[in-house]
Amino acid sequence: MTPAPTRIATLDVIRGVAVMGILAANIAAFGFPEFAYMTPASMGSPSTPDLIAWTATFIVIDGKMRGLFSFLFGASMLLVIDRASANGDDPATIHLRRMAWLFVFGVAHLYLLWWGDILAHYALVGAIAYMFARLPVRWLIGLGLACIAVQTLELGTLTAYAFDLHAAAHKAGATARTIANWQSLADQFGQPSPPPWRANSRSGVARGTIWSRGAGRTRSGRSRS
């Protein structure tokens, strides 16, 4: 009789911590739009407890638990491959079958339960990651750094676009389309309620600040959390 494979308790504990951390990071998205991940003003002016909770989550949890879980996902993939090879099975077949079932669960979760599913993404990336399982460590480090560089460039480009759009919308003679594009972007991030001294004043780009009549209303979207 083949003994049942033993589990590595340390990996299980770390995986549990990562999953609970991901849950804490995603709680905001259960009741708020996607941009609640990035700003506590996504649903209007936040209270002091809101700011404390959002800041603590952003610093301690957001991105960290997802990264930790990704490391564990890769470690588990290598363990499955090694065990399949030791048992005389085809590692590719075993791994890809697991990813196929993970994808099925992810799609069901996405369409039946919550728009922020990430399991389907893990399944697709996991299927591709198999091709890199036997690469030398220096190659893996180089590819990882290249991916980080591409993402940094992407985020930097988006940030530059937002600042450029803000400047263009606040210039004298800005077109209605430019103002509307900025307003649409700003509304997604949320805007604080105007101070009392502006409560009855007319909003406008020419005065330097856009106070949305629908401040706090945002559009929900997909999340990769």
Side-chain angles (χ1 to χ4, degrees):
M1 178 182 297
T2 303
T6 58
R7 300 193 62 88
I8 301 177
T10 303
L11 287 181
D12 287 338
V13 171
I14 299 175
R15 186 182 293 111
V17 172
V19 169
M20 290 298 100
I22 292 174
L23 172 62
N26 284 329
I27 283 177
F30 293 161
F32 297 104
E34 177 183 1
F35 278 83
Y37 285 116
M38 292 172 278
T39 169
S42 62
M43 292 297 288
S45 296
S47 64
T48 299
D50 290 332
L51 286 172
I52 293 174
W54 185 89
T55 303
T57 301
F58 183 78
I59 294 175
V60 179
I61 297 177
D62 187 45
K64 287 77 174 177
M65 298 298 108
R66 187 167 59 248
L68 179 59
F69 194 80
S70 297
F71 275 117
L72 294 171
F73 186 87
S76 297
M77 181 186 75
L78 293 178
L79 288 173
V80 169
I81 292 173
D82 288 343
R83 286 175 178 170
S85 299
N87 293 333
D89 298 322
D90 179 22
T93 300
I94 298 297
H95 175 70
L96 294 177
R97 183 184 301 148
R98 295 177 77 245
M99 294 302 100
W101 277 110
L102 183 62
F103 183 76
V104 169
F105 283 115
V107 170
H109 181 226
L110 171 63
Y111 287 102
L112 300 179
L113 294 178
W114 186 46
W115 55 265
D117 173 75
I118 197 174
L119 297 179
H121 293 79
Y122 273 115
L124 295 174
V125 174
I128 297 172
Y130 180 82
M131 297 186 296
F132 303 91
R134 299 305 182 192
L135 284 181
V137 173
R138 65 173 178 269
W139 274 88
L140 295 176
I141 293 175
L143 288 170
L145 292 175
C147 289
I148 293 173
V150 170
Q151 186 180 41
T152 301
L153 178 62
E154 178 188 12
L155 292 176
T157 301
L158 291 175
T159 302
Y161 167 74
F163 277 103
D164 182 66
L165 183 59
H166 175 272
H170 286 75
K171 283 196 309 186
T175 65
R177 182 172 182 178
T178 299
I179 295 173
N181 287 341
W182 165 250
Q183 188 69 67
S184 176
L185 178 64
D187 282 346
Q188 294 184 68
F189 280 91
Q191 299 178 63
S193 302
W197 59 269
R198 287 196 56 128
N200 298 320
S201 64
R202 182 172 61 87
S203 65
V205 174
R207 302 188 61 169
T209 306
I210 302 175
W211 297 108
S212 171
R213 288 176 297 175
R217 291 182 299 180
T218 62
R219 297 177 299 173
S220 61
R222 288 293 306 277
S223 170
R224 295 185 304 122
S225 83

